[in-house]
Amino acid sequence: METQYYLDRAVNLFKEEMGRNLVGVHLHGSLAMGCFNPNKSDIDLLVVAQEKLSAETTKRIIKKLLKFHESMPNERGIELSIILECYLKNFVYPTPFEFHYSDYHRNVQFCLNEYIGIANNTELKIEKLTDFANYMMGEIKNSIEIDDDFKSKAEPVTTPNPK
């Protein structure tokens, strides 16, 4: 697998969609640690933004990530989080994210249906994606099982307002 080719494509995707809002794209995980296995590993990225993403930018990123992921030869594709620079300067743990993407999220049927293809309301898609992101943060925090009534089980995640 020509990993550099896919890394360059990913960086270009975020440069195109985020422009001056992009602070950096950082590699981490198995590829950065030298133990990447294309049959088992994903490529992990941390994308840092200066300011919150607009709903329209997020929508464009989601669409491009779905196509990008499909083109990747490794089994699990790409996993990434977009975080705000302010949470790194004044470190917050666990670090809140603007957006998270992985092969798991790609394969969750309601994710694809609700966020990308079926609903015509961009704000509704972003709201549902935010609900899902908050749920996933709650799942990690509380070790709860994923089921259809995830909203009722997840604790709301509160984060400081970015400056």
Side-chain angles (χ1 to χ4, degrees):
M1 177 176 166
E2 293 290 325
T3 54
Q4 189 61 53
Y5 168 77
Y6 291 97
L7 293 172
D8 291 343
R9 281 186 57 204
V11 169
N12 287 334
L13 183 153
F14 290 103
K15 282 181 177 179
E16 288 171 10
E17 293 308 323
M18 295 173 64
R20 293 179 186 234
N21 192 26
L22 180 65
V23 175
V25 180
H26 305 275
L27 180 66
H28 69 103
S30 62
L31 187 56
M33 303 286 285
C35 55
F36 178 79
N37 178 339
N39 297 320
K40 296 180 183 178
S41 301
D42 54 18
I43 294 177
D44 300 292
L45 299 176
L46 183 62
V47 180
V48 182
Q50 199 169 40
E51 299 173 356
K52 287 187 159 293
L53 303 177
S54 70
E56 197 57 42
T57 298
T58 302
K59 179 181 174 184
R60 288 192 315 267
I61 289 172
I62 290 169
K63 286 182 178 181
K64 285 188 174 184
L65 280 174
L66 288 169
K67 288 181 183 177
F68 178 68
H69 192 118
E70 287 297 321
S71 74
M72 297 182 73
N74 61 314
E75 174 94 14
R76 295 194 41 224
I78 191 168
E79 181 168 353
L80 63 93
S81 293
I82 300 175
I83 64 171
L84 295 179
E85 182 182 34
C86 67
Y87 295 130
L88 297 177
K89 287 183 174 180
N90 300 308
F91 189 65
V92 175
Y93 180 83
T95 306
F97 54 85
E98 291 295 293
F99 177 76
H100 183 78
Y101 177 87
S102 71
D103 65 331
Y104 173 79
H105 295 93
R106 184 175 135 279
N107 290 326
V108 174
Q109 188 63 43
F110 74 85
C111 177
L112 294 176
N113 289 343
E114 294 294 332
Y115 309 164
I116 310 302
I118 292 177
N120 290 324
N121 183 328
T122 300
E123 292 302 319
L124 177 63
K125 288 184 227 178
I126 300 307
E127 179 183 329
K128 289 179 180 291
L129 185 56
T130 302
D131 288 346
F132 185 66
N134 285 339
Y135 163 69
M136 291 306 294
M137 289 175 75
E139 178 195 352
I140 292 165
K141 182 178 175 186
N142 300 319
S143 299
I144 61 176
E145 294 294 321
I146 296 175
D147 59 24
D148 290 336
D149 62 343
F150 68 88
K151 286 184 188 178
S152 65
K153 291 190 175 188
E155 291 181 17
V157 176
T158 56
T159 58
N161 289 330
K163 295 180 181 178

